[in-house]
Amino acid sequence: MTTRLPVSIFFALFTISGFAGLIYESIWSHYLKLFLGHAAYAQTLVLAIFMGGMAIGSWLVSRFTQRIGNLLLGYACAELGIGLLAIAFHRVFQVMTGWAFDTVMPALGGTGVDLFKWALASLMILPASILLGTTFPLMSAGILRVYPETGGRSLSMLYFTNSFGAAIGVLASGFYLIDHLGLPGTILTAGLLNVTLALGVWLITKRMPAVAAIPASSLPVFDAASRRIMRAVLILAFATGAASFIYEITWIRMLTLGLGASTHSFEVMLAAFILAMSLGAFWFRNRIAFLKNDLAWLAGLLIAKAFFAVYAVWIYSDVLDFVHWMFSAVSRTSGGYTLSTISGMVASMIVMFPTAFCAGMTLPLATHALTSRGVGESAIGKVYGANTAGCIVGAAFATHIGMELAGVKGLTGIGALLDVLVGVFVVMVALPKGARRTRSFAVVGVFLVIGVVAFSSAQLDLLRMSSGVYRQGQFMDPKIQKVAFYRDGKTATIAVTDDGSLRMIRTNGKVDASVERNPERKSALDEPTMVLAAALPIAMKPNAELVANIGFGSGLTTHTLLASPKIKELDSIEIERSMIEGAKLFQPRNIRAYADPRSHIYIEDAKTFFASAGKRYDIIVSEPSNPWVSGVSTLFSEEFYGHVKRYLKDDGLLVQWVQAYEINPGLLSTIFQALGKHFGDYTVYRTGADLLVVATVKGPLPPLSAEVFNYPEFAADLRYLGYESLADLQALRMGGRAALHPLFTNTGFPPNSDYFPILDQRAPRSRFRAETSEELGLIRDGLVPVLGLLDGDWPTPLARVQSGGLNRPQRVDRTLVGAEAIGVAMSGAAEAARVLSPAQMNASLLTHALFDNCAGAGAQFVDALTEVAQAAMPYLNTAEAAVLFDRARSSKCYQALTEPQRRHVAWLQAINDLDANAIYTHAKFLLRNTPPQREPEHGLYVLSALSGAMASGHIAEARALRDRYVPTLSKHSRDMLAMSLVLAHIAQAPQARAQ
């Protein structure tokens, strides 16, 4: 016996369909941008293939609806096909893109590469997209055939449930599934949902009575007036789709300036837009059947959409104020991140909700307008297909033409104008000539005047929009900062701000580079990083001829590289054209990047450029944006490093910029693990809060040479920042692969991968919480020379200390501190000291005073001597610091010290001598003979005993010391990065060495 189940069952099932459908759009975008790149055309192409396939599917259903006997069974078959294609997608993608990169694209040599990639991308997702396009018309027509009495209500409910599921799918995919399952697991989950859904619908249809389509002969006569209305409705569906996507792309860009450009921010914005549309359809569900003039309502909805789009521009400044308040009010914790995400949804809703709410009513009403006039079941597919085609056109226009041509405000106006024009057109079709049409035009005119006045009066504050309020929770002061350049580009909004001295180039509000233009002031924090990204590889490979630079920024790195007379060609790859235009304002500091004939600038995705160019470089410098920015993490992935090494010569060098700020050590380790899988050796250099990694496929890395200082322009660029000779560059060395890699592989984090994008998923949270890995750069500044013992050390010689200069490198500053600390301790002359802190000055003076008179004050003498050693030993070489210990051991105070106190002095001297065995021996004695009440001192003894034992080959003893003393440390001491580094070495040391 067959029974008709409640229609609400199908609404619930269609919610699941929407949930899975938006997962596909999100995941396919992730996948295909790995292949197509992250340029604007690539993003638009993904959308065009997806939406185009859906439009084709909708059109096919509209053509054959009357011939399908069981529409709901057809829907089940479509869902089954989607699920099976999804289950196979990951493997198919790997095989096809591997074939493309390895075989086809090198053979094409740049000719026709883009066409080939587009065709292959279409082949991979178009079949499933077509099937996705059939689901709405099949389900809708099937419901209307089985439940004809529900009419427009069912259409609204289906649109609501599908869109509501889609909004949840966006959030679930972005915040949970990808993070926990990766791209393969997420698309597999969606595929299994579709298969389960297909099975469920098939089982339900078996219990339901078969309902045949209404014969075409029984449908109302479709006269000329009806055809005119159908054309008008299809034009409306097309136009409203185009306008809606114009709004969506524009408002996402506007909100990005306030909420940031992370993947999570995009997902919140997209979910807000879809949710608002679904609520519009839900609100309309019980009203649609009682409308007296549905076409007039359609026209009114379009006019309302346009009016509320203008409202979005008008309210935007207040939304930025709300974001400013929110980011300044919440704590930088995980709970604060959750609150900020919810607040981001609220901010997005304030901008998007009214317009998207109207858009959500438009499509069900347009479909109802045709089905109620006898067009039949095919109307659903026709309206859905026309709307989807409009979405493609709107997205393509907004991305490739409108954004650069009109900016966010002008583009919103274009979308509003399109809605108004089509609304007026529908009024003309819906209403005959007469008083009623005249009144309608008068009402439209009033709203149009109000809208134009509001639109014209809405002023966008470019300085506030450029402030990156999501970073620090504050706006730039207009009394200090000015906007020198501002442009909405295809992929990002680029601004150059200036306070009269410091000039910054910003991407979506985030500072990407800064340069100090006043020669009487110290250089900007970014300048050493940009210059050293060029200097370090040239110092290792001074005869490099072919160089590539990924990420243009201010152009200073490209400019500095071209200071080498040996370079014959330098390719700079930048994804946003407006960045190149904005960086012109940094001339003359970057003039060679524009004027040198060896410089070639390409607007392209890095992967695509390398694959199509087919060159092999001596040096590739990678300076992308921060990894928390959406899409950028793929330039820090193991797949990228595997790809880019193909384009390096056998002895070529990769230079990778990595931030140490706003990222925790675990996430930082994912980058080094990914790089370490493909590069045999690397060395890390520190430049303030930045790290520069120089890597080679086949190790070991060549040493730095002084030849770079023989190139006049290069030497001038370096000396401008205070780098006078090779020693200044050597002093930046933090450690090599042998010393650091065990730490990175012992964090419990996997390597960052394109398919398991842990960095993309978690870096935004780490940025918000202001987590840092800057402690990694401070390991070399510790009293215990962990990296010196494990990797070798290059302290700056005292003779290299410069007497002054605005741009003296930080390492030289610290060298001067060390020199003054020893000088005051030896002489007691404090008047000549210029850079010592009060605590360092007191320690030096106390050391001098107690050298020959420390009766009863031995502990104070040892403490003061230790503080002086801490100020000096990490930065001075052995001979320069040895005078301190020669003086200490010959003093009368030394004779009065207890044995543990003498051993403490001997321990300090062993550290200065980098004598691993002596460090281990003295530290072990001190651990046994000194009570552990003084936690910092006890922790240093443990750290030095472990690192000394490892460096001197006492692996078994190191493990025994670890097991005995590490549990006695406080949690803070155990979590010290230096301690973690030594423990990682112990854990990974071969057991055979312990014998």
Side-chain angles (χ1 to χ4, degrees):
M1 178 179 178
T2 58
T3 57
R4 199 175 73 153
L5 299 174
V7 69
S8 57
I9 291 178
F10 292 98
F11 298 154
L13 292 173
F14 211 44
T15 304
I16 299 173
S17 178
F19 179 90
L22 251 291
I23 287 179
Y24 290 129
E25 181 178 356
S26 173
I27 292 299
W28 285 340
S29 295
H30 280 284
Y31 270 107
L32 290 188
K33 283 188 285 188
L34 298 176
F35 178 52
L36 298 171
H38 290 264
Y41 75 82
Q43 299 177 41
T44 307
L45 182 64
V46 173
L47 183 63
I49 299 169
F50 179 74
M51 301 297 288
M54 293 183 68
I56 293 171
S58 300
W59 176 79
L60 288 173
V61 171
S62 73
R63 297 274 300 183
F64 300 104
T65 303
Q66 295 294 118
R67 306 180 194 178
I68 301 174
N70 190 329
L71 290 169
L72 293 177
L73 183 59
Y75 168 80
C77 292
E79 292 283 2
L80 178 63
I82 295 166
L84 294 177
L85 288 172
I87 291 170
F89 182 81
H90 178 71
R91 182 57 183 160
V92 170
F93 179 84
Q94 286 184 308
V95 170
M96 295 185 77
T97 55
W99 168 70
F101 279 121
D102 295 341
T103 305
V104 179
M105 291 166 66
L108 290 174
T111 304
V113 166
D114 284 342
L115 288 176
F116 167 74
K117 289 171 65 179
W118 299 341
L120 188 59
S122 300
L123 181 63
M124 284 189 279
I125 71 169
L126 191 58
S129 298
I130 292 172
L131 290 175
L132 279 166
T134 68
T135 56
F136 186 82
L138 282 171
M139 175 66 88
S140 302
I143 293 296
L144 291 181
R145 186 180 291 183
V146 179
Y147 305 89
E149 73 281 1
T150 60
R153 184 181 189 279
S154 286
L155 290 173
S156 292
M157 281 300 296
L158 287 170
Y159 192 78
F160 160 68
T161 54
N162 194 250
S163 298
F164 182 78
I168 302 302
V170 169
L171 297 176
S173 171
F175 283 88
Y176 185 82
L177 293 176
I178 294 177
D179 188 25
H180 290 80
L181 304 178
L183 301 187
T186 302
I187 197 168
L188 177 62
T189 299
L192 293 175
L193 278 176
N194 286 118
V195 172
T196 304
L197 189 61
L199 180 61
V201 173
W202 174 71
L203 291 173
I204 290 172
T205 57
K206 290 180 66 177
R207 300 180 55 190
M208 296 181 66
V211 180
I214 300 174
S217 59
S218 301
L219 293 173
V221 177
F222 206 51
D223 55 18
S226 298
R227 290 192 182 90
R228 186 174 68 254
I229 290 174
M230 184 178 75
R231 285 195 295 269
V233 170
L234 293 180
I235 290 172
L236 178 147
F238 178 91
T240 191
S244 294
F245 258 75
I246 288 174
Y247 298 145
E248 181 182 340
I249 289 173
T250 304
W251 293 339
I252 284 177
R253 176 66 64 83
M254 291 167 64
L255 287 165
T256 294
L257 297 171
L259 301 178
S262 71
T263 296
H264 288 172
S265 295
F266 284 127
E267 284 149 355
V268 164
M269 298 174 213
L270 181 59
F273 191 83
I274 297 171
L275 182 61
M277 289 197 299
S278 73
L279 292 175
F282 181 76
W283 180 85
F284 212 40
R285 72 195 187 286
N286 292 327
R287 296 169 172 83
I288 194 169
F290 302 102
L291 301 179
K292 293 180 179 179
N293 191 328
D294 46 17
L295 293 181
W297 263 85
L298 278 171
L301 285 173
L302 290 185
I303 302 300
K305 271 184 67 186
F307 187 80
F308 286 127
V310 173
Y311 147 86
V313 177
W314 184 75
I315 200 70
Y316 178 64
S317 179
D318 294 317
V319 171
L320 285 180
D321 284 333
F322 169 72
V323 173
H324 168 246
W325 170 82
M326 180 269 296
F327 276 106
S328 60
V330 300
S331 60
R332 299 293 169 148
T333 61
S334 294
Y337 185 73
T338 301
L339 287 175
S340 72
T341 302
I342 294 171
S343 299
M345 176 70 83
V346 172
S348 301
M349 280 290 196
I350 293 172
V351 172
M352 298 178 172
F353 185 84
T355 301
F357 188 84
C358 292
M361 294 185 277
T362 305
L363 203 60
L365 182 55
T367 307
H368 175 72
L370 294 186
T371 56
S372 64
R373 286 173 170 78
V375 178
E377 298 167 341
S378 65
I380 300 171
K382 290 177 180 177
V383 172
Y384 196 64
N387 182 260
T388 307
C391 293
I392 299 170
V393 173
F397 170 78
T399 302
H400 294 289
I401 301 173
M403 189 65 75
E404 288 188 316
L405 180 68
V408 291
K409 181 180 177 181
L411 193 52
T412 302
I414 291 171
L417 180 61
L418 178 60
D419 270 334
V420 168
L421 291 176
V422 177
V424 170
F425 168 71
V426 173
V427 169
M428 294 176 64
V429 172
L431 299 176
K433 292 181 180 179
R436 189 177 178 190
R437 180 193 279 190
T438 302
R439 286 195 300 271
S440 297
F441 281 143
V443 172
V444 171
V446 170
F447 273 97
L448 187 60
V449 170
I450 295 173
V452 169
V453 171
F455 185 78
S456 301
S457 63
Q459 299 298 319
L460 298 180
D461 190 326
L462 301 185
L463 186 64
R464 285 158 61 88
M465 293 167 69
S466 305
S467 293
V469 65
Y470 54 87
R471 295 290 299 282
Q472 305 298 333
Q474 58 188 9
F475 295 116
M476 288 184 284
D477 187 345
K479 296 178 182 178
I480 300 174
Q481 295 283 350
K482 305 297 179 185
V483 177
F485 174 92
Y486 189 95
R487 185 166 300 169
D488 293 311
K490 287 184 178 182
T491 64
T493 294
I494 305 300
V496 176
T497 59
D498 199 313
D499 65 0
S501 178
L502 184 66
R503 181 160 285 181
M504 301 180 179
I505 191 162
R506 298 167 176 265
T507 303
N508 293 329
K510 182 192 70 66
V511 177
D512 269 338
S514 58
V515 171
E516 176 57 60
R517 297 164 58 232
N518 186 344
E520 296 183 359
R521 294 188 177 182
K522 194 166 184 176
S523 63
L525 294 176
D526 292 334
E527 288 184 58
T529 299
M530 294 183 287
V531 170
L532 291 166
L536 291 172
I538 295 297
M540 289 185 184
K541 197 173 178 62
N543 295 320
E545 297 181 346
L546 187 58
V547 180
N549 182 35
I550 304 170
F552 194 76
S554 67
L556 187 55
T557 298
T558 295
H559 168 87
T560 307
L561 282 164
L562 289 165
S564 169
K566 299 295 182 68
I567 290 179
K568 294 181 178 179
E569 185 177 351
L570 195 156
D571 296 333
S572 296
I573 306 106
E574 171 57 51
I575 205 166
E576 176 52 61
R577 187 180 304 278
S578 297
M579 179 71 77
I580 306 299
E581 296 301 315
K584 289 180 180 178
L585 274 68
F586 288 84
Q587 296 183 23
R589 287 293 304 279
N590 62 2
I591 188 63
R592 288 191 289 265
Y594 294 96
D596 196 310
R598 299 172 296 166
S599 176
H600 306 281
I601 300 173
Y602 299 90
I603 308 301
E604 186 57 274
D605 170 76
K607 276 186 178 180
T608 301
F609 173 80
F610 287 134
S612 57
K615 300 177 183 177
R616 297 187 70 197
Y617 294 89
D618 294 298
I619 296 169
I620 295 177
V621 180
S622 182
E623 291 183 288
S625 192
N626 302 70
W628 56 262
V629 175
S630 178
V632 174
S633 70
T634 61
L635 294 177
F636 296 92
S637 70
E638 59 179 294
E639 289 82 4
F640 173 74
Y641 293 127
H643 183 77
V644 78
K645 75 177 183 180
R646 304 177 185 179
Y647 307 106
L648 279 170
K649 295 178 181 177
D650 290 342
D651 60 346
L653 303 177
L654 172 71
V655 180
Q656 176 70 71
W657 167 85
V658 183
Q659 69 180 82
Y661 56 94
E662 296 180 337
I663 189 171
N664 63 52
L667 289 176
L668 186 69
S669 76
T670 70
I671 299 173
F672 282 95
Q673 290 182 70
L675 185 145
K677 278 196 168 187
H678 297 281
F679 287 83
D681 192 23
Y682 64 76
T683 296
V684 183
Y685 296 85
R686 58 176 179 174
T687 60
D690 294 321
L691 304 176
L692 289 172
V693 188
V694 186
T696 183
V697 177
K698 299 179 180 179
L701 277 170
L704 295 171
S705 76
E707 190 170 346
V708 67
F709 289 94
N710 295 330
Y711 301 154
E713 290 182 322
F714 228 127
D717 289 344
L718 287 168
R719 285 175 181 142
Y720 179 81
L721 296 178
Y723 298 100
E724 299 286 345
S725 73
L726 179 62
D728 287 338
L729 301 184
Q730 291 172 331
L732 300 169
R733 187 181 191 276
M734 205 179 77
R737 176 181 178 128
L740 292 171
H741 208 66
L743 173 66
F744 298 136
T745 57
N746 203 49
T747 59
F749 284 72
N752 183 48
S753 165
D754 288 344
Y755 301 122
F756 294 88
I758 184 173
L759 194 59
D760 182 71
Q761 289 292 301
R762 301 188 188 181
R765 187 185 302 270
S766 186
R767 179 202 65 76
F768 177 85
R769 294 177 60 181
E771 294 175 335
T772 180
S773 296
E774 293 181 58
E775 186 184 351
L776 184 66
L778 300 178
I779 291 178
R780 285 180 63 100
D781 295 335
L783 178 63
V784 179
V786 175
L787 285 172
L789 291 169
L790 299 175
D791 191 52
D793 194 27
W794 288 271
T796 304
L798 185 60
R800 276 287 307 114
V801 177
Q802 301 300 298
S803 59
L806 287 172
N807 292 320
R808 184 173 59 244
Q810 187 180 30
R811 181 84 176 188
V812 176
D813 286 341
R814 291 172 177 173
T815 304
L816 188 57
V817 170
E820 287 189 353
I822 290 180
V824 173
M826 295 291 290
S827 66
E831 60 277 2
R834 296 185 293 115
V835 294
L836 289 182
S837 69
Q840 291 167 335
M841 177 67 75
N842 290 337
S844 296
L845 289 173
L846 183 60
T847 300
H848 178 77
L850 295 178
F851 268 137
D852 293 314
N853 185 22
C854 70
Q860 291 91 325
F861 172 75
V862 170
D863 288 345
L865 184 70
T866 302
E867 189 162 348
V868 174
Q870 167 67 81
M873 292 196 311
Y875 314 109
L876 304 181
N877 65 30
T878 297
E880 291 154 357
V883 295
L884 179 68
F885 301 105
D886 291 343
R887 178 71 181 90
R889 293 173 70 91
S890 64
S891 68
K892 293 181 180 178
C893 182
Y894 183 80
Q895 305 303 319
L897 296 180
T898 66
E899 181 59 21
Q901 290 171 341
R902 291 187 183 185
R903 292 295 288 266
H904 183 95
V905 175
W907 169 70
L908 289 174
Q909 186 164 6
I911 289 175
N912 183 60
D913 295 338
L914 285 177
D915 186 336
N917 192 65
I919 293 172
Y920 157 65
T921 302
H922 292 309
K924 186 168 63 171
F925 172 88
L926 290 166
L927 284 171
R928 291 173 178 171
N929 293 276
T930 304
Q933 283 81 12
R934 297 174 62 174
E935 172 57 36
E937 186 176 79
H938 182 66
L940 289 176
Y941 290 156
V942 175
L943 180 64
S944 58
L946 294 176
S947 55
M950 284 298 298
S952 58
H954 298 97
I955 311 301
E957 290 85 346
R959 290 194 172 104
L961 288 168
R962 174 199 62 188
D963 296 341
R964 179 175 179 181
Y965 290 108
V966 169
T968 68
L969 300 176
S970 70
K971 186 176 185 300
H972 171 74
S973 295
R974 287 186 239 174
D975 290 344
M976 285 192 310
L977 214 54
M979 182 68 74
S980 299
L981 174 62
V982 176
L983 293 176
H985 273 267
I986 295 173
Q988 297 180 29
Q991 291 292 336
R993 292 179 60 190
Q995 302 302 318

